[in-house]
Amino acid sequence: MKIQKMFTLLSAIIISGAASQNIFAKEVVQTPEIISNSYDVTALEDRIAKLEYNDQHPDFEFHGYARTGLLLNAERGLKKASTFPGPFDKKYVGRLGNEDNTYAELEFVKSFYMENGAWAKFHAMLVSDSGSYSDNSGSGNDGWGDSSIQARQVYVEMGNLPTFTGAFKDSTVWAGKRYYNRRDIHITDYYYTDLSGTGLGVDNIALGEGKLGFATVARNSSVGDDQDIVGLVTKYSIGNFEFDLVGAKSQDNEDENSNLAKTGFQGFAQYNLNSYYGLNGFSKFYGQIGSGIGATWGLGSLGNATGNYKKATSYRLGTWGLTNLNEKWDLFTTLYGQYDNKPEDRDLDLYKKNGFETAFVVRPVYKINNNFELQFEGGIGYTESNFSDDTDSNGTFYKLTFAPTLKMDSNQFWARPEIRAFVTYVGGETEDRSKTKEKYNDDNIRVGVQAEVWF
């Protein structure tokens, strides 16, 4: 009897619940507002699409790069060590444990979007560089420090303009002061091309299977007097290949010295390999040639307007790449060589007629766990100068660095921020024109810390 009563009670509960559910369903069906709010799929899809569009098209962006730290002489009571200018320039021996400054780039980007699909972006970048360890390094001639704040980029770009059709359909137009066509090797902080300046350009023009770009850019020479340089840049990329042609002129040279080159030419080609010389990763091979103001220091930039003569020529070949050898090891390497021919048509008894330089830098990284790794870096550079009296001077310089490193994800080589402590050993030998050799036996051991971040 008890069991029968329990079944009866349970049946009553189920029937009562079903009846209540039917009543609720009828109420829902009979309420138009609830139908609209609950089942308007089109409105919901539009809302989702708008959110996705906003994620892909941010109204404001903030980007940055910074490095800061100490570089101290271990053999001189931890006095500040210097790295540039000098034989241990990171271009020759690598940057790890070889930087003594606080450098920061802060970029602000304001975007504009139209319903017809057109967009525009305003870029502004402030850069600060200080070699002082003071906490009150100033931003000008205020006597507090040696840092400076500069507006390195201020430009506007536009794209997806409805009136642009055909080959120009996906092109972008820009004008202002900006970084342009920069290619760098991270472990040496070496920009083997950097055509930055102020000007006007059009990029991403369709030509065959590739993309074409044109620009006219002006800047002042980075050394010596402020000679103005104006350049015309053409670049083309197709598949794994990249090509640049640069022509430049500096009228100031003609006004100052008729023997100085007032024009220059450069050619650049690069092949991007989808492997690290056959291993997993990537690698790049590049070649450059320059003449006139496009030679020597000017090779890869708009030009060197202060020290090149009309017949100056330069040639550069290089390669670099990164591989993940296994779960524990990453490897980054770079190698380049450059030959400069500098016949100088001036009335001097002795002058440098040509030169050669080469450098090899390698950075292996060993991952201990997800947040801790050991970075190693070795670099060796060689420079040679030949003079008009058939004598030579040359130098060989090297650096070894060990840097325990803390980071958020050691499985990613490019992941930042990083905090490093390091010890560095530098050495070398020079030989002057009289064949006298001298070893670098001063301040060989250096220690320090560094933080680096980009976003």
Side-chain angles (χ1 to χ4, degrees):
M1 292 294 293
K2 292 183 178 180
I3 296 175
Q4 187 176 1
K5 289 182 178 180
M6 290 177 61
F7 274 110
T8 302
L9 181 61
L10 182 60
S11 299
I13 293 173
I14 293 173
I15 293 171
S16 174
S20 300
Q21 198 172 31
N22 288 336
I23 293 171
F24 179 74
K26 289 179 181 178
E27 291 178 351
V28 171
V29 172
Q30 293 170 357
T31 309
E33 292 182 359
I34 296 179
I35 292 176
S36 174
N37 292 337
S38 301
Y39 296 96
D40 192 348
V41 178
T42 302
L44 182 60
E45 289 178 344
D46 290 345
R47 177 61 177 167
I48 293 173
K50 181 174 285 189
L51 290 173
E52 291 178 345
Y53 181 87
N54 290 338
D55 286 341
Q56 298 172 6
H57 302 80
D59 181 63
F60 179 79
E61 300 172 52
F62 176 51
H63 306 287
Y65 168 81
R67 64 175 181 266
T68 181
L70 296 171
L71 181 64
L72 306 173
N73 284 324
E75 300 175 81
R76 288 201 172 191
L78 300 182
K79 288 177 64 67
K80 183 178 183 295
S82 61
T83 62
F84 182 83
F88 305 109
D89 184 352
K90 51 191 175 181
K91 168 185 173 182
Y92 298 129
V93 297
R95 72 189 300 181
L96 186 65
N98 196 31
E99 293 176 311
D100 63 347
N101 64 333
T102 291
Y103 178 85
E105 296 178 347
L106 300 178
E107 183 180 21
F108 308 90
V109 183
K110 170 63 178 175
S111 300
F112 307 86
Y113 301 100
M114 304 294 291
E115 291 184 358
N116 60 12
W119 58 264
K121 294 186 177 184
F122 169 68
H123 298 254
M125 176 184 282
L126 299 178
V127 175
S128 175
D129 190 5
S130 172
S132 171
Y133 294 157
S134 299
D135 63 344
N136 58 356
S137 293
S139 60
N141 297 322
D142 56 4
W144 278 34
D146 65 342
S147 68
S148 61
I149 296 178
Q150 301 175 357
R152 290 294 302 273
Q153 297 196 85
V154 181
Y155 72 98
V156 172
E157 60 176 336
M158 297 182 182
N160 204 30
L161 301 177
T163 54
F164 280 18
T165 60
F168 291 87
K169 184 177 183 301
D170 297 321
S171 65
T172 59
V173 182
W174 62 269
K177 181 179 182 180
R178 66 168 297 182
Y179 291 161
Y180 191 64
N181 224 38
R182 304 207 318 168
R183 300 178 179 93
D184 81 303
I185 302 169
H186 172 68
I187 62 173
T188 56
D189 199 24
Y190 175 44
Y191 287 84
Y192 54 102
T193 67
D194 183 358
L195 304 177
S196 303
T198 304
L200 169 70
V202 183
D203 293 330
N204 297 322
I205 304 169
L207 180 62
E209 297 297 321
K211 296 293 186 180
L212 181 69
F214 297 101
T216 176
V217 185
R219 67 175 298 169
N220 298 117
S221 179
S222 59
V223 294
D225 299 329
D226 288 333
Q227 271 91 342
D228 293 326
I229 302 174
V230 179
L232 296 175
V233 180
T234 302
K235 59 180 186 176
Y236 183 67
S237 61
I238 181 170
N240 292 345
F241 290 93
E242 300 175 31
F243 304 95
D244 297 343
L245 290 176
V246 182
K249 180 178 180 180
S250 176
Q251 184 60 41
D252 291 329
N253 279 357
E254 182 73 12
D255 298 337
E256 180 180 318
N257 187 329
S258 60
N259 291 322
L260 288 172
K262 68 175 183 178
T263 60
F265 169 84
Q266 293 183 55
F268 170 87
Q270 178 167 282
Y271 179 70
N272 304 309
L273 189 64
N274 296 322
S275 69
Y276 179 81
Y277 314 110
L279 301 176
N280 70 85
F282 73 89
S283 54
K284 301 175 184 291
F285 299 85
Y286 62 92
Q288 296 169 263
I289 182 173
S291 64
I293 63 174
T296 64
W297 293 335
L299 187 61
S301 69
L302 284 180
N304 170 29
T306 60
N308 286 1
Y309 283 72
K310 293 179 178 179
K311 296 181 181 180
T313 54
S314 291
Y315 311 87
R316 181 188 295 154
L317 290 173
T319 181
W320 62 279
L322 170 66
T323 183
N324 174 239
L325 294 173
N326 53 45
E327 292 182 355
K328 289 294 187 180
W329 286 97
D330 289 332
L331 180 67
F332 198 130
T333 60
T334 175
L335 170 68
Y336 87 94
Q338 178 171 329
Y339 174 77
D340 301 319
N341 184 30
K342 299 174 59 178
E344 300 183 355
D345 280 327
R346 54 183 176 177
D347 297 327
L348 290 178
D349 294 331
L350 180 66
Y351 58 86
K352 180 179 177 180
K353 63 181 183 180
N354 56 60
F356 174 75
E357 65 182 43
T358 186
F360 174 69
V361 179
V362 56
R363 183 186 293 187
V365 179
Y366 180 74
K367 309 162 194 175
I368 296 200
N369 56 43
N370 287 337
N371 302 117
F372 189 64
E373 63 187 23
L374 302 177
Q375 298 192 31
F376 308 84
E377 189 173 87
I380 183 168
Y382 173 79
T383 62
E384 180 180 299
S385 299
N386 302 311
F387 293 89
S388 55
D389 62 353
D390 295 324
T391 58
D392 302 335
S393 68
N394 55 64
T396 302
F397 312 100
Y398 56 86
K399 176 188 73 74
L400 296 171
T401 298
F402 171 64
T405 301
L406 187 68
K407 61 192 303 182
M408 297 176 69
D409 184 6
S410 62
N411 293 312
Q412 300 293 328
F413 179 89
W414 300 107
R416 297 294 186 275
E418 288 186 354
I419 297 176
R420 318 168 184 128
F422 60 81
V423 57
T424 292
Y425 181 85
V426 296
E429 182 179 83
T430 60
E431 181 179 280
D432 62 21
R433 293 176 51 250
S434 64
K435 302 298 182 181
T436 301
K437 294 184 178 181
E438 182 177 356
K439 288 188 175 183
Y440 187 87
N441 290 318
D442 192 20
D443 305 330
N444 297 91
I445 300 176
R446 302 169 179 197
V447 296
V449 295
Q450 186 183 54
E452 184 180 47
V453 62
W454 58 62
F455 54 90

